[in-house]
Amino acid sequence: MLPQLLRHRWMDEDIEAFRDQVRRYITGELSPHLDDWRRQGFIPREVWRPFGQMGFLLPELSEDYGGAGASLAYQLVVQDELAKAEFPANTGVHNLAAHYILDYGTELQKQRWLPKLASGEMLAGIALTEPGCGSDLKALRTRASREGDHYVVDGAKTFITNGFTANLLVVAVRTSDTGSRGVSLVVLETEGLPGFRVGRRLEKLGQHASDTAELFFDGVRVPADHLLGEKEGEGFVQLMSQLPYERLFLCVPAAAVIERAVQLTVEYTQQRKAFGQAIGDFQNTRFKLAECATIAHVVRSFVNDCIQRLLDGKLDQEAAYMAKWWCTEQQGKVTDECLQLFGGYGYMTEYPIARLYADARVQRIYGGTTEIMKDLIARKLYA
Ligand SMILES: Cc1cc2nc3c(=O)[nH]c(=O)nc-3n(C[C@H](O)[C@H](O)[C@H](O)COP(=O)(O)OP(=O)(O)OC[C@H]3O[C@@H](n4cnc5c(N)ncnc54)[C@H](O)[C@@H]3O)c2cc1C
């Protein structure tokens, strides 16, 4: 058992009751299908419809936009429970896309898309990365040229989560050649959209239930009022302003997975025997698990602190960068150490620890790599 953490102000009884409800739904309705979804390489969009109708997709939206007017903590609790149950980042990306619309959309845009995103009628993706650029987003080349009351979008994106299943995309495009000031965000409703094509569903090391796809835009006509916000050229600032929330968003699954890995490994090492004793009786095993349990505790404390700061409107960029790289690196370390204690079984994907290990690897890459996080922290140190 991990030690109990101090109760933060954000953890009240209503949130815990909501957490139970979410957990029961995931266990009863979603988890039984997860192996099939892994095999086929995606979770069908329709799965998220009842999830949305239960109020689990975007509880933090106001009732006007189809939510429950709850705090962001409710969303983070949903992500925590999904991660514990080995679900990949699909609803997380959906949530982040909705927050772009919530924070930068015009009233008309919010009315048009948010209720459908909350109900699960629409599933969203965010398309920033291109074959030629990921970390260095201001180098992006997908272009949106204004023609009358439309933009014409040409270019390609890659590694897009929900790229195959989404029917709404927030896409970063170049509206002028002025570096970061030439980047804008546009919203595309992709069903039956001429010129839009989903390329390969990419085969990955882990996160097999999540669809990660290439996207192609060939003269795609988008109504000019699908530009997010009022003016062209605000995309880069919009992207940067969302980053503390986005980065914290990836730390919640890190904490959840670390805890699950420790729990699974304690259970396994109690029943597996070698040299006439339980693996868990070897001092090495006990020390390794003591270290992992300590990491679990420290990660959870840090994440809880960041959640509290986020809810208080005080989560600064640097704390979010630190949390992103450090918690996800710990996730990699703990899943690796725990896998080792399973011996050969740890390498078999039928064992959850093998999947947690493989799924964890990308956490240090997407949402800003560890190196980029450290670079941003260092810039502040030397400012
Ligand atoms: C499974 C998966 C899902 C994804 N989902 C999405 C999605 O939904 N939407 C989306 O837009 N993107 C998505 N991505 C893309 C992801 O955000 C990028 O892969 C990531 O930002 C890194 O970009 P890159 O792959 O181009 O690597 P690069 O930018 O080419 O980096 C390569 C290496 O160089 C290092 N590096 C780069 N610049 C510096 C620097 N200045 N200093 C030191 N080191 C540096 C990096 O840290 C990295 O180690 C996803 C990726 C994966 C693998």
Side-chain angles (χ1 to χ4, degrees), residues 97 100-101 124-130 137 140-144 151 153-158 160 166-175 182-190 193 196 215-217 220 222 226-228 235-236 238-239:
Y100 281 113
I101 296 170
I126 303 177
L128 314 178
T129 307
E130 300 188 353
L137 273 181
L140 70 85
R141 294 170 60 179
T142 296
R143 183 164 285 278
Y151 286 100
V153 180
D154 288 287
K157 298 283 178 184
T158 194
I160 306 308
N167 49 2
L168 180 138
L169 291 173
V170 175
V171 185
V173 292
R174 179 157 293 294
T175 41
V183 175
S184 303
L185 299 178
V186 290
V187 182
L188 268 64
E189 295 179 20
T190 55
L193 183 65
F196 171 74
L215 305 176
F216 297 99
F217 309 86
V220 174
V222 187
H226 287 201
L227 176 82
L228 203 55
F236 208 73
Q238 292 168 341
L239 290 171

Side-chain angles (χ1 to χ4, degrees), residues 88-364:
N90 307 84
T91 61
V93 169
H94 174 82
N95 179 265
L96 297 175
H99 277 259
Y100 281 113
I101 296 170
L102 179 67
D103 290 349
Y104 309 119
T106 60
E107 191 50 40
L108 227 57
Q109 291 172 336
K110 292 184 211 182
Q111 296 286 354
R112 180 182 177 107
W113 291 310
L114 290 178
K116 290 181 182 168
L117 293 173
S119 71
E121 185 181 336
M122 285 188 137
L123 181 71
I126 303 177
L128 314 178
T129 307
E130 300 188 353
C133 78
S135 303
D136 183 15
L137 273 181
K138 56 182 184 312
L140 70 85
R141 294 170 60 179
T142 296
R143 183 164 285 278
S145 317
R146 185 76 189 249
E147 280 185 13
D149 55 2
H150 279 75
Y151 286 100
V152 179
V153 180
D154 288 287
K157 298 283 178 184
T158 194
F159 303 151
I160 306 308
T161 304
N162 294 343
F164 175 72
T165 48
N167 49 2
L168 180 138
L169 291 173
V170 175
V171 185
V173 292
R174 179 157 293 294
T175 41
S176 81
D177 287 321
T178 46
S180 59
R181 279 175 290 132
V183 175
S184 303
L185 299 178
V186 290
V187 182
L188 268 64
E189 295 179 20
T190 55
E191 253 166 343
L193 183 65
F196 171 74
R197 185 168 65 82
V198 179
R200 285 180 303 154
R201 249 190 295 128
L202 300 162
E203 293 197 7
K204 306 189 293 297
L205 177 67
Q207 302 228 350
H208 291 141
S210 175
D211 54 306
T212 307
E214 299 170 326
L215 305 176
F216 297 99
F217 309 86
D218 185 8
V220 174
R221 290 179 69 77
V222 187
D225 63 5
H226 287 201
L227 176 82
L228 203 55
E230 308 279 357
K231 288 204 303 268
E232 286 181 9
E234 296 192 330
F236 208 73
V237 175
Q238 292 168 341
L239 290 171
M240 294 302 122
S241 316
Q242 286 294 312
L243 290 182
Y245 175 57
E246 289 189 22
R247 267 125 204 201
L248 175 57
F249 215 81
L250 295 170
C251 301
V252 170
V257 167
I258 291 171
E259 288 164 3
R260 174 114 198 277
V262 173
Q263 183 203 346
L264 286 169
T265 313
V266 170
E267 285 164 15
Y268 180 80
T269 53
Q270 280 172 321
Q271 47 92 9
R272 176 75 178 172
K273 296 215 163 35
F275 300 97
Q277 65 187 90
I279 302 283
D281 289 336
F282 296 123
Q283 191 187 50
N284 175 66
T285 307
R286 302 172 81 82
F287 279 11
K288 286 288 178 204
L289 281 170
E291 288 167 18
C292 291
T294 308
I295 292 171
H297 196 76
V298 179
V299 166
R300 184 59 85 177
S301 306
F302 190 8
V303 171
N304 277 340
D305 182 56
C306 288
I307 293 175
Q308 188 66 64
R309 291 192 205 197
L310 178 80
L311 298 175
D312 294 342
K314 291 182 182 155
L315 181 65
D316 54 284
Q317 302 261 15
E318 282 67 39
Y321 301 148
M322 289 175 188
K324 177 9 175 118
W325 85 261
W326 193 76
C327 296
T328 59
E329 292 281 335
Q330 299 312 310
Q331 182 183 356
K333 182 173 168 178
V334 169
T335 50
D336 186 35
E337 294 282 18
C338 288
L339 185 151
Q340 184 70 12
L341 297 174
F342 277 73
Y345 292 99
Y347 199 65
M348 302 299 133
T349 52
E350 67 193 84
Y351 277 71
I353 193 67
R355 301 193 297 264
L356 295 184
Y357 170 80
D359 292 354
R361 188 61 186 87
V362 74
Q363 282 267 87
R364 291 184 260 164

Side-chain angles (χ1 to χ4, degrees), residues 61-91:
L61 294 185
S62 71
E63 289 178 17
D64 291 348
Y65 301 137
S71 81
L72 270 176
Y74 283 75
Q75 175 61 239
L76 295 172
V77 160
V78 174
Q79 296 306 320
D80 199 342
E81 290 304 318
L82 283 167
K84 269 185 205 141
E86 290 181 50
F87 278 81
N90 307 84
T91 61

